[in-house]
């Protein structure tokens, strides 16, 4: 780089800091004495893993450009930052490196804060929040107690996903293909007392709101679809099947296909269903087989693929419409206890899982829906799940599936054996973690009083720091004193809950704390929150589509229910933007070892190990990750190019929602551009002289280009099309470069340059600020308003002229405005479609900039 980015960037970061320009008051007054509108722009808070990575740089630059732009547009912009500081990696690092999770976390925060600051983000650091700070988590302990009082927290013995390597319970979302999301080890099922949040109480509301404003307009469809699928609304029927020989006893199933009732050939119950216990009580012979079924249970996705297994209970139920038909009752591994009623009726002909099960246990397969163009249907190994015409179904034959469903529903209602109903796939949110580095759950177990929440005046329940991390399991269990306490109610000896909260609990409300970060008496003042919430624009990764983003939506509703707001604020994030990933090619040596980009070089067509002849395999570009060694460290980019180049490059290459393919060449090119801008602005003088008469055509063109740039870039920033904004800024730069620095151009050139600095300022704040100063300004560029454009200058300088022959339109031409009549006449007479239609020309009428009419004899 030829311009002194190092000194410039440090200088301006310090100046902004001294001027306190990013310290945001809750009410800001503009120059006219009016309150500026408040706006909240937020990026997802980082986990303090050690260093920021390129993905962070992209994410935070996106938010920062928008924040700086909106600020210039007159908003009082809240743009805070904090740390999602609890979690497993700190414990793992602590064990591996023999440091305390807290010191590991705090020193990472120091490092990462420094890196973020050197990128020049317009963050109000006075509002920084760290979730592992007792000053923060004491309030979530209070929330937990409030939720408990409101019936939104439950403690239940529940089947959980147990990660044998991490020695912890995982949320369903943390199980990927039957394996722990971090450990990659197959999860087991265990039954443990767990705390959970009743997110299912809000299933319908969370689902419906996805299709209401503002989410409908301002959240990506992709994310709304993912949430919709995750919440999983199914409309269907609940049907009761009477148990044969047990007067008044029935099994209730949930089905979305009541039309297939005549194809039912068995009933299946989930292995962990409460009913199973009573069935087994009278059938000790089945207990061993049942244990084997239990041992196999993993998550649903895996079970869907696994071989179908079950055991015959010996019970049977009566078919609701066929008096002489009874169905056997099985316990089956593919039925989940948490869905519907945990019981289903199997219809092998039309459900693949049921068919696999029927084949394994030799059960009947009765087709009841026939494909429309076929007269009959035989089922072999594949179930027919399509639409069709009813067969083998007394009273329904010949009807469509939809008609059959309506009819069966009517029959069920009539006989009082079933009802219409909706079921949701969403499960309650298990929040207990058997880990140390988290927020203690504020509960005491007393032999006399039972489960007692810790009263508010005894919060926080601080996490003890003197723990032994070398023993397996949760260090809080092994701590000699911490868990022994007295019961808040009866003052007798009692023990603390040693589980900690899922860290998603912390990230479900941090954005509220930013509004009022220093409040010591409550999580936040509702009046202050009302000034800022909801977040106007949230920016983060699509990987949070169903975890964090759903939990935060639930939290707002739960907090509303507990009276935390003046007026309920259902949605935390009005606008959501999910940026693409930063990708890079991968390199591997012959033996498959991953190689860093610095370790390889291109030689002709091939890639080789730097400084050797050893060939290297090049893989396609994938998300940068440490494991594949295809990362580029932001610290190195900063050292070689500086923050402005890094920021500009991040915004230049691809639309922000798409993946960005990292290229060293692209970064170079961006650096060259800023060097050129620097040279242009510093290598000559930029007099401020007053307007010197009429502009030349060249000057007018630059004037037009400048106003057009303002107009275009403004729209691009508004629409988060930052790459298009950069392209438009470069167009203006090129236009400016082409106009020679003659005295008659002085004014327009200076105007163009200043405009360029202003429109680029949100992306490259340091270099533009420096050049602004060098142009003689004593104000900070960051405090300048967004430039306005004059619509008069946007009028295109070309016009469309109609070409007529004897008053009839024969063509049009687009020409420069203000052409001479003779030039227009010449053009018209040369136009192919005019030539075709004229014989002898009598007269030519020209209305400049509009029309040429040729009066002529027809062509012979
Ligand atoms: C009879 C039937 C016939 C079904 C047929 C499907 C096809 P969705 O659409 O995802 O909501 N089911 C019900 N409870 C279940 C449980 N606890 N575990 C596993 N499967 C369960 O799925 C609804 C269908 O899933 C229900 O409709 C039921 O099988 C099954 F031709 O009932 B169906
Ligand atoms: Zn007690």
């Amino acid at each position: 780089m030829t311009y002194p980015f190092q000194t410039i960037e440090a200088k301006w970061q310090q100046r902004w800091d001294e001027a306190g320009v990013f310290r945001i008051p809750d009410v800001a007054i503009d120059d006219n004495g009016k309150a500026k509108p408040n706006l909240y722009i937020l990026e997802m808070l980082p986990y303090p893993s050690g260093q920021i990575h390129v993905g962070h740089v992209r994410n935070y630059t996106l938010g920062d450009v928008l924040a700086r732009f909106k600020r210039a547009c007159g908003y009082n912009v809240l743009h805070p930052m904090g740390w999602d500081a609890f979690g497993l990696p700190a414990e793992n690092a602590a064990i591996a490196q023999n440091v305390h999770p807290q010191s590991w976390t705090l020193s990472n925060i120091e490092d990462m804060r420094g890196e973020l600051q050197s990128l020049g983000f317009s963050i109000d650091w006075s509002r920084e929040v760290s979730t592992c700070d007792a000053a923060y988590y004491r309030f979530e302990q209070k929330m937990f107690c409030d939720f408990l009082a409101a019936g939104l927290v439950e403690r239940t013995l529940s089947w959980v996903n147990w990660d044998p390597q991490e020695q912890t319970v995982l949320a369903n979302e943390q199980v990927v293909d039957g394996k722990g999301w971090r450990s990659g080890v197959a999860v087991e099922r265990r039954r443990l007392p767990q705390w959970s949040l009743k997110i299912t109480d809000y299933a319908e509301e969370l689902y419906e709101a996805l299709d209401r404003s503002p989410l409908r307009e301002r959240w990506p469809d992709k994310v709304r679809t993912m949430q919709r699928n995750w919440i999983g609304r199914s409309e269907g029927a609940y049907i009761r099947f009477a148990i044969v020989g047990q007067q008044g006893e029935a099994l209730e199933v949930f089905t979305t296909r009541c039309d297939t009732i005549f194809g039912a050939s068995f009933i299946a119950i989930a292995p962990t269903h409460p009913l199973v216990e009573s069935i087994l009580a009278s059938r000790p012979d089945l207990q061993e087989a049942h244990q084997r079924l239990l041992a196999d249970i993993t998550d649903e996705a895996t079970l869907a693929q696994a071989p179908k297994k079950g055991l015959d209970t010996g019970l049977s139920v009566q078919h609701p419409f066929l008096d002489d038909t009874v169905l056997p009752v099985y316990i089956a591994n593919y039925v989940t206890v948490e869905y519907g009623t945990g019981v289903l009726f199997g219809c092998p002909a039309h459900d693949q899982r049921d068919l696999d099960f029927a084949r394994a246990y030799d059960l009947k397969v009765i087709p009841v829906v026939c494909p429309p163009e076929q007269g009959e249907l035989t089922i072999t190994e594949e179930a027919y799940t399509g639409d069709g015409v009813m067969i083998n179904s007394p009273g329904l034959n010949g009807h469509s599936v939809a008609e059959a469903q309506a009819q069966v529903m009517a029959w069920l209602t009539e006989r009082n054996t079933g009802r219409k109903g909706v079921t949701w796939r969403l499960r309650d949110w298990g929040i207990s973690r058997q880990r140390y580095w988290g927020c203690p759950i504020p509960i005491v177990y007393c032999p006399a009083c039972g489960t007692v929440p810790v009263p508010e005046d005894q919060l926080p329940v601080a996490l003890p720091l003197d723990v032994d991390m070398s023993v397996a399991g949760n260090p809080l269990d092994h701590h000699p004193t911490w868990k022994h306490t007295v019961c808040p109610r009866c003052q007798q000896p009692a023990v603390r809950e040693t589980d900690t909260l899922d860290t998603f609990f912390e990230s479900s409300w941090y954005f509220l704390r930013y509004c009022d970060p220093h409040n010591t008496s409550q999580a936040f003042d509702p009046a202050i929150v009302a000034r800022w919430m909801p977040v106007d624009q949230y920016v983060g990764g699509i990987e949070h589509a169903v975890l964090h983003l759903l939990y935060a939506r639930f939290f707002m509703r739960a907090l509303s229910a507990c009276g935390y707001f003046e007026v309920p604020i259902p949605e935390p994030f009005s606008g959501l933007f999910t940026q693409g990933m930063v990708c890079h090619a991968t390199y591997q040596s012959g033996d498959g070892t991953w190689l860093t980009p610095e370790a390889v070089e291109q030689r002709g067509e091939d890639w080789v190990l730097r400084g050797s002849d050893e060939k290297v395999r090049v893989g396609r570009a994938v998300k940068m990750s440490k494991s594949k060694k295809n990362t580029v460290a932001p610290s190195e980019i900063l050292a070689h190019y500086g923050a402005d180049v890094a920021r500009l490059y991040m915004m230049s290459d691809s639309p922000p929602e798409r993946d960005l393919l990292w290229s060293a060449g692209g970064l170079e090119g961006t650096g060259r551009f800023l060097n050129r801008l620097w040279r242009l602005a510093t290598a000559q003088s930029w007099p401020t002289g007053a307007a010197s008469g009429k502009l030349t055509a060249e000057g007018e063109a630059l004037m037009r280009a400048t106003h057009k740039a303002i107009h275009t870039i403004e729209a691009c920033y508004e629409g988060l099309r930052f790459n298009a904004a950069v392209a438009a800024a470069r167009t203006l730069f090129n236009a400016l470069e082409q106009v020679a620095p003659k005295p008659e151009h002085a004014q327009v050139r200076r105007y163009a340059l200043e405009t360029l600095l202003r429109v680029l300022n949100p992306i490259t704040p340091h270099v533009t600020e420096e050049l602004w100063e060098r142009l003689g300004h004593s104000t900070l560029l960051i405090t300048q308003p967004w430039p306005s454009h004059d619509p008069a200058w946007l009028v295109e300088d070309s016009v469309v002229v109609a070409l007529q022959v004897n008053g009839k339109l024969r063509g049009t031409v687009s020409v420069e405005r203000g052409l001479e009549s003779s030039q227009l006449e010449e053009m018209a007479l040369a136009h192919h479609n005019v030539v075709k239609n004229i014989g002898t020309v009598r007269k030519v009428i020209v209305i400049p900039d509009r029309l040429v009419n040729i009066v002529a004899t027809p062509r012979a």
Side-chain angles (χ1 to χ4, degrees):
M1 296 299 293
T2 55
Y3 81 90
F5 67 87
Q6 256 140 350
T7 47
I8 289 176
E9 291 178 358
K11 166 183 160 185
W12 289 107
Q13 283 159 18
Q14 199 189 335
R15 290 270 185 95
W16 296 327
D17 192 38
E18 285 163 3
V21 287
F22 305 130
R23 234 169 292 136
I24 303 304
D26 294 319
V27 180
I29 305 298
D30 70 12
D31 295 342
N32 304 320
K34 284 206 305 213
K36 294 182 181 182
N38 280 1
L39 196 78
Y40 193 170
I41 293 173
L42 183 67
E43 301 96 47
M44 292 178 184
L45 87 175
Y47 178 78
S49 56
Q51 281 129 22
I52 60 163
H53 54 73
V54 175
H56 288 128
V57 179
R58 192 177 193 205
N59 186 187
Y60 300 138
T61 305
L62 282 168
D64 194 53
V65 173
L66 189 67
R68 284 173 175 270
F69 167 68
K70 289 290 186 179
R71 183 195 167 86
C73 293
Y75 290 93
N76 183 40
V77 179
L78 176 57
H79 186 221
M81 181 60 72
W83 309 97
D84 188 14
F86 274 138
L88 220 45
E91 281 183 62
N92 294 341
I95 293 160
Q97 301 162 27
N98 197 26
V99 289
H100 193 281
Q102 186 187 49
S103 40
W104 184 84
T105 305
L106 296 185
S107 93
N108 287 348
I109 289 177
E110 283 301 311
D111 294 349
M112 290 172 72
R113 187 195 302 112
E115 287 188 273
L116 293 181
Q117 286 173 340
S118 65
L119 277 153
F121 295 134
S122 61
I123 288 163
D124 182 352
W125 286 104
S126 74
R127 293 172 184 260
E128 181 178 355
V129 157
S130 177
T131 60
C132 67
D133 189 344
Y136 178 84
Y137 67 69
R138 63 179 299 179
F139 296 113
E140 75 183 41
Q141 292 178 332
K142 171 77 165 60
M143 287 173 190
F144 176 92
C145 297
D146 291 338
F147 291 165
L148 186 65
L152 287 166
V153 173
E154 273 189 339
R155 182 166 170 83
T156 46
L157 204 59
S158 44
W159 289 91
V160 295
N161 306 303
W162 178 259
D163 186 320
Q165 173 151 330
E166 305 274 3
Q167 294 279 304
T168 191
V169 172
L170 300 177
N172 288 332
E173 300 90 322
Q174 294 168 330
V175 180
V176 181
D177 298 331
K179 302 196 173 97
W181 68 325
R182 286 224 172 93
S183 69
V185 169
V187 300
E188 296 165 7
R189 298 289 286 183
R190 290 200 182 177
R191 207 159 143 92
L192 293 174
Q194 295 287 297
W195 291 102
S196 64
L197 286 184
K198 296 216 48 97
I199 189 170
T200 53
D201 281 3
Y202 291 87
E204 182 164 5
E205 160 63 14
L206 290 167
Y207 186 90
E208 304 276 318
L210 291 170
D211 289 318
R212 289 201 297 260
S213 203
L215 272 52
R216 183 182 56 205
E217 294 85 17
R218 298 199 50 214
W219 274 42
D221 287 346
K222 193 169 50 176
V223 175
R224 291 192 303 125
T225 303
M226 286 167 81
Q227 289 214 353
R228 222 179 273 122
N229 292 341
W230 187 262
I231 300 169
R233 182 179 196 278
S234 275
E235 233 170 82
Y238 288 92
I239 306 178
R240 279 189 312 281
F241 290 80
I243 301 176
V244 175
Q246 294 187 14
Q247 196 63 42
E249 299 284 321
L251 288 177
E252 190 178 41
V253 305
F254 173 75
T255 178
T256 47
R257 294 292 308 273
C258 67
D259 54 292
T260 65
I261 188 75
F262 291 101
S265 59
F266 63 96
I267 296 286
I269 309 179
T272 57
H273 198 290
L275 262 175
V276 170
E277 255 168 65
S278 57
I279 295 173
L280 293 183
S282 56
R283 290 290 305 272
D285 56 310
L286 294 179
Q287 280 168 10
E288 208 192 302
H290 178 245
Q291 281 306 317
R292 276 197 305 268
L293 271 190
L294 287 183
D296 271 359
I297 295 179
T298 60
D299 68 304
E300 253 174 81
T302 317
L303 272 181
Q305 307 300 322
K308 304 290 169 280
K309 285 185 204 158
L311 54 141
D312 189 348
T313 63
L315 296 176
S316 54
V317 298
Q318 176 63 48
H319 190 284
F321 305 124
L322 298 171
D323 290 346
D324 53 356
T325 302
V326 296
L327 310 174
V329 178
Y330 281 78
I331 298 168
N333 67 344
Y334 68 97
V335 187
T336 56
V337 71
E338 293 142 309
Y339 192 62
T341 62
V343 186
L344 56 78
F345 81 73
C347 175
H350 304 291
D351 183 290
Q352 193 60 44
R353 299 167 307 171
D354 295 345
L355 182 61
D356 296 343
F357 191 79
R359 293 297 184 223
Y361 294 92
D362 206 14
L363 298 160
K364 273 194 213 144
V365 179
I366 312 157
V368 289
V369 178
C370 186
E373 265 79 53
Q374 268 164 251
E376 53 172 37
L377 176 67
T378 12
I379 297 289
T380 49
E381 289 314 311
E382 208 178 310
Y384 177 69
T385 57
D387 202 356
V389 179
M390 301 309 298
I391 53 171
N392 299 330
S393 305
L396 302 174
N397 291 340
H399 286 280
S400 71
V401 165
E403 287 163 352
Q405 280 184 358
Q407 183 58 66
V408 171
M409 254 345 291
W411 286 337
L412 289 169
T413 318
E414 207 172 279
R415 293 169 190 218
N416 200 23
T417 48
R419 62 188 165 93
K420 231 190 181 122
V422 169
T423 194
W424 303 88
R425 198 150 275 286
L426 188 68
R427 308 288 149 77
D428 279 332
W429 170 16
I431 48 174
S432 297
R433 294 291 178 277
Q434 290 67 41
R435 303 303 312 198
Y436 162 65
W437 191 234
C439 170
I441 296 177
I443 288 288
V444 168
Y445 299 105
C446 168
C449 312
T451 302
V452 182
V454 177
E456 187 175 356
D457 62 5
Q458 291 173 31
L459 296 179
V461 176
L463 190 66
L465 295 177
D466 53 336
V467 287
D468 181 0
M469 300 293 298
S470 65
V471 273
N474 181 356
L476 292 180
D477 276 330
H478 310 297
H479 191 280
T481 56
W482 182 80
K483 77 172 178 185
H484 302 288
T485 180
V486 293
C487 167
R489 260 183 219 154
C490 69
Q491 314 305 323
Q492 294 304 302
V495 290
R496 291 189 187 284
E497 169 67 85
T498 57
D499 285 354
T500 53
L501 290 171
D502 180 1
T503 58
F504 279 112
F505 203 107
E506 280 94 63
S507 54
S508 293
W509 71 282
Y510 75 103
F511 44 88
L512 293 164
R513 184 69 179 169
Y514 283 147
C515 299
D516 190 14
H518 308 296
N519 199 325
T520 52
S521 60
Q522 53 186 338
F524 47 82
D525 178 337
I528 296 178
V529 157
R531 292 186 198 281
W532 293 111
M533 285 297 290
V535 172
D536 185 70
Q537 183 67 61
Y538 200 29
V539 186
I542 184 88
E543 68 273 20
H544 294 295
V546 285
L547 296 156
H548 165 55
L549 287 171
L550 190 60
Y551 293 151
R553 296 184 60 219
F554 160 66
F555 246 68
M556 292 303 284
R557 287 157 170 91
L559 290 173
S560 291
C562 294
Y564 274 71
F565 305 120
E566 286 179 332
V567 178
I569 308 172
E571 293 298 337
F573 316 118
S574 299
L576 173 68
F577 187 84
T578 52
Q579 84 275 1
M581 296 180 301
V582 182
C583 299
H584 195 292
T586 54
Y587 309 97
Q588 276 175 294
S589 63
D591 62 2
T593 317
W594 299 103
L595 301 167
T596 63
E598 296 81 52
V600 301
E601 62 183 334
Q602 193 163 20
R603 197 168 300 156
E605 291 285 278
D606 293 332
W607 286 81
V608 293
L609 208 58
R610 190 174 287 277
S612 84
D613 290 330
E614 195 186 322
K615 277 213 185 138
V616 164
R617 238 186 306 149
V618 182
R620 70 186 175 87
V622 292
K623 179 184 178 178
M624 285 190 183
S625 73
K626 277 192 190 143
S627 64
K628 297 211 168 76
K629 290 206 176 160
N630 63 339
T631 54
V632 180
S635 55
E636 299 205 348
I637 303 166
L638 282 174
H640 289 118
Y641 295 95
D644 283 336
V645 174
R647 295 170 57 115
L648 180 60
Y649 173 60
M650 284 290 168
M651 296 301 100
S652 301
D653 252 26
S654 42
E657 67 279 10
R658 300 249 194 89
D659 288 351
L660 181 144
L661 177 59
W662 184 268
S663 94
L667 191 64
E668 283 278 346
T670 302
R672 274 197 304 274
F673 172 66
L674 286 191
N675 279 334
R676 273 169 69 198
L677 174 65
W678 177 265
R679 250 180 271 122
L680 178 75
T682 56
Q684 45 182 280
S685 65
W686 294 83
T688 42
S692 49
K694 200 174 171 293
L695 285 171
T696 62
E698 223 184 337
E700 269 190 17
L702 181 57
M703 198 66 171
R704 221 171 264 123
T706 309
H707 284 274
K708 196 170 159 200
I710 299 171
H711 180 65
T712 308
I713 293 170
E714 185 176 320
C716 291
Y717 282 159
E718 285 288 353
L720 302 159
R721 286 177 289 115
F722 299 124
N723 59 320
V726 173
R730 294 186 74 146
T731 304
L732 175 58
F733 175 80
N734 291 338
L736 171 57
E737 243 189 351
Q738 273 159 31
V739 178
K742 293 186 205 148
E744 64 266 33
H745 294 147
Q747 211 212 5
V748 63
R749 287 184 83 247
R750 186 177 167 103
Y751 173 62
L753 177 64
E754 288 194 347
T755 301
L756 184 61
L757 298 180
R758 290 162 79 143
V759 295
L760 271 177
N761 179 259
I763 303 182
T764 54
H766 312 87
V767 66
T768 51
E769 191 80 74
E770 174 73 18
L771 293 174
W772 182 255
E773 185 187 55
R774 290 186 184 217
L775 285 177
H777 294 283
S778 54
T779 50
L780 285 172
L781 181 51
I782 173 77
T783 60
Q784 294 302 299
W786 182 253
S788 54
H789 71 270
D790 180 349
W793 284 107
L794 296 186
V795 178
E796 280 297 330
D797 48 351
S798 65
V799 286
V800 175
V801 174
L803 307 180
Q804 299 177 342
V805 175
N806 298 328
K808 205 163 169 202
L809 188 70
R810 293 297 180 188
T812 59
V813 284
S814 172
V815 297
E816 200 182 312
R817 182 188 292 280
L819 282 195
E820 299 288 320
S821 296
S822 57
Q823 287 173 294
L824 288 173
E825 183 178 330
E826 195 180 321
M827 225 175 267
L829 290 170
H831 191 274
H832 67 279
N833 203 34
V834 171
V835 173
K836 263 197 340 220
N837 287 291
I838 53 174
T840 315
V841 175
R842 295 259 156 83
K843 196 173 161 196
V844 180
I845 304 154
V846 179
I847 305 174
D849 291 341
R850 285 191 45 203
L851 167 121
V852 181
N853 185 21
I854 297 161
V855 182
T857 58
R859 197 180 177 91

